[in-house]
Amino acid sequence: VQLQASGGGLVQAGGSLRLSCVTSPRTFSRPTMAWFRQAPGKDREFVAAFRWREYYADLVKGRFTISRDKAKNTVYLQMNSLKPEDTAVYYCAAGPGVIMSTMTEGTAYAYWGQGTLVTVSS
């Protein structure tokens, strides 16, 4: 199972980036796909998930949007109004065993992309 994340980069505070996660049709068909992030020296944290509808961490709600393109087997994370505290390596994740109660827990996901670095300067 491969998930290929891309789209990270350096952006000024207030700017935008769109992350992409390309995967196989089988993995894309899983009910849940998600984005997590890990900032330097911090634990990995849930950012957003798509499980028949969108779910967001409070810290990104209203600024980030998760979406899916079935034709391209791709999940996107549109990030607007970026803040320096959004700086992190962003990972996409999927897995057959994710249920509603575990959707925000990284340990519930079996498959991970390689991560893409987002740096937001002040």
Side-chain angles (χ1 to χ4, degrees):
V1 175
Q2 277 193 318
L3 293 92
Q4 185 72 32
S6 63
L10 175 63
V11 64
Q12 288 188 330
S16 299
L17 282 175
R18 188 177 77 160
L19 306 183
S20 301
C21 178
V22 182
T23 187
S24 66
R26 181 174 182 177
T27 301
F28 188 81
S29 68
R30 303 294 186 187
T32 308
M33 290 193 69
W35 288 94
F36 287 77
R37 68 186 183 186
Q38 187 166 20
K42 295 188 177 181
D43 293 335
R44 180 176 58 195
E45 64 178 359
F46 170 79
V47 175
F50 194 99
R51 183 179 174 84
W52 293 296
R53 70 172 183 88
E54 304 160 27
Y55 297 86
Y56 299 97
D58 288 343
L59 287 175
V60 306
K61 200 171 293 182
R63 300 188 296 122
F64 291 11
T65 303
I66 188 171
S67 62
R68 293 158 50 108
D69 186 333
K70 184 177 180 180
K72 296 181 179 180
N73 296 315
T74 300
V75 175
Y76 300 101
L77 185 68
Q78 177 67 43
M79 306 185 295
N80 298 329
S81 301
L82 283 162
K83 305 175 181 180
E85 50 264 44
D86 294 317
T87 295
V89 178
Y90 284 71
Y91 299 89
C92 57
V98 181
I99 58 177
M100 275 300 296
S101 62
T102 63
M103 185 177 59
T104 62
E105 300 172 16
T107 52
Y109 294 80
Y111 312 126
W112 291 84
Q114 83 285 6
T116 184
L117 176 62
V118 173
T119 304
V120 184
S121 62
S122 57

